[in-house]
Amino acid sequence: MLTSPSLLELQRGFAAAIVDGDTRLAAYIDARAIAPAARLRIYRNAVFAIQVEALETSFPAVRRLLGEECFDGLATRYAARHGSRSGNLQDFGATFAVFLSAQAEVAAFSWVGAVAELEWLRQECALAAGWPRADAQALTAALLAGLQLRVQPHVRVLSAQVPALDLWRHAMESEARTVDPAGGAQHVLLWREDAAVVMREIGASQAAFVRALRDSGNMEAAWSAANLVDPSAQAEGLLSGLLEHALLVP
């Protein structure tokens, strides 16, 4: 005779059924018109459908580039293997780019992971916090005074071995353009402006500079990172876009 599980055991059993497909909870469900295990699968499939919709929202360019059927199949597989570990669906998909790059169906499309990574950075950029903007004059004065500057929390950088930004624009913008996926590396700066995500291609040294500044919060470390990529990199070029768009704060 089955011993009735506690509320906590029921909750854990239901979570295991949804996330891992574990059907042991079926033993405690009344058998009526639909078999207990089938009932659990209905809930699990409904969760998958919601998670696939979340991925469609976060990765629209990838979906267009791969095609609806291919994308939905891969997204369902990802949902089944990686279930959401957060109560916020906007967090779902953080490892989708890595997952896509490992799938046999897209092995011939080596660029797909980079485009997915770009789209996830867009998601992070859109949701990140932001500090009050500092005007160019205040930033210049801080630099001259030797003060440390930080990048806005919403700033992101992508360095890809493929033209990820061009491929994204090819998928999402109405103006037709031809893009060679083997067209070479591309570095992209992303930031938020008036609630919209802005993307701009930048050089490799500036990408290294911004990434190091985000990670360390130290200007000297950022200069060193940029100079490792390009010993001739000048401060004016590294700071120009950041100052222009008020992406630095004292």
Side-chain angles (χ1 to χ4, degrees):
M1 183 176 183
L2 288 174
T3 302
S4 298
S6 67
L7 175 60
L8 179 59
E9 289 171 334
L10 284 172
Q11 291 171 331
R12 287 176 173 172
F14 186 71
I18 298 302
V19 176
D20 301 318
D22 188 328
T23 59
R24 282 178 290 181
L25 185 64
Y28 301 97
I29 300 174
D30 287 342
R32 296 179 183 175
I34 302 176
R39 291 188 195 182
L40 292 174
R41 285 195 297 271
I42 290 172
Y43 282 106
R44 190 169 193 236
N45 290 337
V47 169
F48 286 167
I50 292 170
Q51 291 174 342
V52 168
E53 284 186 24
L55 293 174
E56 290 172 354
T57 300
S58 299
F59 301 94
V62 172
R63 189 170 188 250
R64 291 186 182 185
L65 290 165
L66 290 179
E68 181 179 337
E69 184 175 347
C70 178
F71 179 90
D72 286 0
L74 291 168
T76 301
R77 186 184 304 168
Y78 178 82
R81 294 182 182 179
H82 295 271
S84 177
R85 303 296 174 180
S86 168
N88 186 349
L89 275 176
Q90 290 177 318
D91 296 332
F92 185 62
T95 58
F96 191 53
V98 175
F99 168 83
L100 285 177
S101 297
Q103 302 310 299
E105 293 92 330
V106 295
F109 310 114
S110 58
W111 44 264
V112 70
V115 178
E117 185 179 356
L118 178 64
E119 295 208 285
W120 188 252
L121 290 178
R122 285 178 56 84
Q123 171 95 336
E124 289 185 344
C125 181
L127 299 174
W131 293 322
R133 292 162 61 99
D135 60 45
Q137 185 175 359
L139 292 173
T140 302
L143 283 171
L144 292 174
L147 299 178
Q148 291 291 341
L149 296 179
R150 302 165 294 169
V151 292
Q152 286 280 2
H154 51 79
V155 170
R156 296 292 186 273
V157 181
L158 173 74
S159 291
Q161 296 304 308
V162 298
L165 178 58
D166 291 343
L167 287 162
W168 185 91
R169 287 173 172 164
H170 170 74
M172 298 302 294
E173 296 179 357
S174 57
E175 181 181 347
R177 64 176 73 202
T178 300
V179 180
D180 179 6
Q186 197 167 46
H187 306 274
V188 186
L189 178 68
L190 304 91
W191 71 94
R192 191 173 67 242
E193 198 167 281
D194 297 329
V197 175
V198 182
M199 299 186 294
R200 169 178 171 178
E201 184 175 2
I202 58 175
S205 59
Q206 190 177 32
F209 176 82
V210 176
R211 185 177 292 109
L213 187 56
R214 281 195 76 246
D215 293 343
S216 69
N218 184 281
M219 294 293 288
E220 289 72 22
W223 299 127
S224 297
N227 285 324
L228 284 175
V229 175
D230 179 5
S232 66
Q234 299 296 313
E236 182 179 358
L238 296 174
L239 290 168
S240 60
L242 300 176
L243 292 171
E244 177 187 356
H245 300 287
L247 301 181
L248 294 173
V249 291

